[in-house]
Coordinates of all heavy atoms in Angstrom, one line a residue:
L1424 N 16.0 102.8 84.8 CA 16.2 102.0 83.6 C 16.2 102.8 82.3 O 16.7 102.3 81.3 CB 15.1 100.9 83.5 CG 15.0 99.9 84.6 CD1 13.8 99.0 84.4 CD2 16.3 99.1 84.8
Y1425 N 15.8 104.0 82.4 CA 15.8 104.9 81.2 C 16.8 106.0 81.2 O 16.6 107.1 80.7 CB 14.3 105.4 81.0 CG 13.3 104.3 81.0 CD1 12.6 104.0 82.1 CD2 13.1 103.6 79.8 CE1 11.6 102.9 82.0 CE2 12.2 102.6 79.7 CZ 11.5 102.3 80.8 OH 10.6 101.3 80.7
R1426 N 17.9 105.7 81.8 CA 19.0 106.7 82.0 C 19.5 107.3 80.7 O 19.9 108.4 80.6 CB 20.2 106.2 82.8 CG 20.0 106.2 84.2 CD 21.3 105.9 84.9 NE 21.8 104.6 84.6 CZ 21.6 103.5 85.4 NH1 21.0 103.6 86.5 NH2 22.1 102.3 85.0
D1427 N 19.5 106.4 79.6 CA 20.1 106.9 78.4 C 19.0 107.5 77.5 O 19.3 107.8 76.3 CB 20.7 105.7 77.6 CG 22.0 105.3 78.3 OD1 22.6 106.1 79.0 OD2 22.5 104.2 78.1
Q1428 N 17.9 107.7 78.0 CA 16.8 108.4 77.2 C 16.6 109.8 77.8 O 16.8 110.1 78.9 CB 15.5 107.6 77.3 CG 15.7 106.2 76.6 CD 14.4 105.4 76.7 OE1 13.4 105.9 77.3 NE2 14.4 104.2 76.2
V1429 N 16.2 110.7 76.9 CA 15.9 112.0 77.3 C 14.4 112.0 77.7 O 13.6 111.5 76.9 CB 16.2 113.0 76.2 CG1 15.8 114.4 76.5 CG2 17.6 113.0 75.8
R1430 N 14.0 112.7 78.7 CA 12.6 112.7 79.2 C 12.0 114.1 78.8 O 12.8 115.1 78.6 CB 12.5 112.5 80.7 CG 13.3 111.3 81.2 CD 12.8 110.0 80.6 NE 11.6 109.7 81.3 CZ 10.8 108.6 80.9 NH1 11.2 107.9 79.9 NH2 9.7 108.4 81.5
A1431 N 10.7 114.1 78.6 CA 10.1 115.3 78.2 C 10.3 116.5 79.1 O 10.6 117.6 78.6 CB 8.6 115.1 78.1
Y1432 N 10.4 116.3 80.4 CA 10.6 117.4 81.3 C 12.0 118.0 81.1 O 12.2 119.2 81.3 CB 10.4 117.0 82.8 CG 11.4 116.1 83.4 CD1 12.6 116.5 83.9 CD2 11.2 114.7 83.4 CE1 13.6 115.7 84.4 CE2 12.2 113.8 83.9 CZ 13.3 114.3 84.4 OH 14.3 113.5 84.9
E1433 N 13.0 117.2 80.7 CA 14.3 117.7 80.4 C 14.3 118.7 79.2 O 14.9 119.7 79.2 CB 15.3 116.6 80.2 CG 15.5 115.7 81.4 CD 16.3 114.5 81.1 OE1 15.8 113.7 80.2 OE2 17.4 114.3 81.7
V1434 N 13.5 118.3 78.2 CA 13.4 119.1 77.0 C 12.7 120.4 77.3 O 13.1 121.5 76.9 CB 12.7 118.3 75.9 CG1 12.5 119.3 74.7 CG2 13.6 117.2 75.4
L1435 N 11.6 120.3 78.1 CA 10.9 121.5 78.5 C 11.8 122.4 79.3 O 11.8 123.7 79.1 CB 9.7 121.1 79.3 CG 8.6 120.4 78.5 CD1 7.5 119.9 79.5 CD2 8.0 121.3 77.5
Q1436 N 12.5 121.9 80.3 CA 13.4 122.7 81.1 C 14.5 123.4 80.3 O 14.8 124.6 80.4 CB 14.1 121.8 82.2 CG 14.9 122.5 83.2 CD 15.5 121.6 84.2 OE1 15.7 120.4 83.9 NE2 15.8 122.1 85.4
L1437 N 15.1 122.6 79.3 CA 16.1 123.2 78.5 C 15.6 124.2 77.5 O 16.2 125.2 77.3 CB 16.8 122.1 77.7 CG 18.0 122.5 76.8 CD1 19.1 123.2 77.6 CD2 18.6 121.2 76.1
T1438 N 14.3 124.1 77.1 CA 13.7 125.1 76.3 C 13.5 126.4 77.0 O 13.8 127.5 76.5 CB 12.3 124.6 75.8 OG1 12.5 123.3 75.1 CG2 11.6 125.6 74.9
G1439 N 13.1 126.3 78.3 CA 13.0 127.5 79.1 C 14.3 128.1 79.4 O 14.4 129.4 79.3
Y1440 N 15.3 127.3 79.6 CA 16.7 127.9 79.8 C 17.2 128.6 78.5 O 17.8 129.6 78.6 CB 17.6 126.7 80.2 CG 19.0 127.0 80.4 CD1 19.4 128.0 81.4 CD2 20.1 126.4 79.8 CE1 20.7 128.3 81.7 CE2 21.4 126.7 80.0 CZ 21.7 127.6 81.0 OH 23.0 128.0 81.3
A1441 N 16.9 128.0 77.4 CA 17.3 128.6 76.1 C 16.6 130.0 75.9 O 17.2 131.0 75.5 CB 16.9 127.7 74.9
Y1442 N 15.3 130.0 76.2 CA 14.6 131.3 76.1 C 15.1 132.3 77.1 O 15.3 133.5 76.7 CB 13.1 131.1 76.3 CG 12.4 130.7 75.0 CD1 11.6 129.5 75.1 CD2 12.3 131.4 73.9 CE1 11.0 129.0 73.9 CE2 11.7 131.0 72.8 CZ 11.0 129.8 72.8 OH 10.3 129.4 71.7
M1443 N 15.5 131.9 78.3 CA 16.0 132.8 79.3 C 17.3 133.3 78.8 O 17.6 134.5 78.9 CB 16.2 132.0 80.6 CG 16.6 132.9 81.8 SD 17.0 131.9 83.2 CE 18.6 131.3 82.8
K1444 N 18.2 132.5 78.3 CA 19.5 133.0 77.9 C 19.4 133.9 76.7 O 20.2 134.8 76.5 CB 20.5 131.8 77.6 CG 21.0 131.2 78.9 CD 22.2 130.3 78.7 CE 23.5 131.1 78.4 NZ 24.7 130.3 78.4
K1445 N 18.4 133.6 75.9 CA 18.1 134.4 74.7 C 17.6 135.8 75.1 O 17.7 136.7 74.3 CB 17.2 133.7 73.8 CG 16.9 134.3 72.4 CD 16.0 133.5 71.6 CE 15.7 134.3 70.3 NZ 14.7 133.6 69.5
G1446 N 17.0 135.9 76.3 CA 16.5 137.2 76.8 C 15.0 137.2 76.6 O 14.4 138.3 76.9
S1447 N 14.3 136.1 76.2 CA 12.9 136.1 76.1 C 12.3 135.5 77.4 O 11.9 134.4 77.4 CB 12.5 135.2 74.9 OG 13.0 135.7 73.7
L1448 N 12.2 136.4 78.4 CA 11.8 135.9 79.7 C 10.3 135.5 79.7 O 10.0 134.5 80.5 CB 12.1 136.9 80.8 CG 13.5 137.3 81.0 CD1 13.7 138.3 82.1 CD2 14.4 136.1 81.3

Side-chain angles (χ1 to χ4, degrees):
L1424 296 177
Y1425 301 100
R1426 279 193 295 265
D1427 288 339
Q1428 296 178 1
V1429 177
R1430 309 302 281 173
Y1432 70 85
E1433 295 170 301
V1434 172
L1435 291 170
Q1436 184 180 28
L1437 185 54
T1438 303
Y1440 182 55
Y1442 277 121
M1443 185 185 78
K1444 283 194 77 172
K1445 186 179 177 183
S1447 303
L1448 297 181

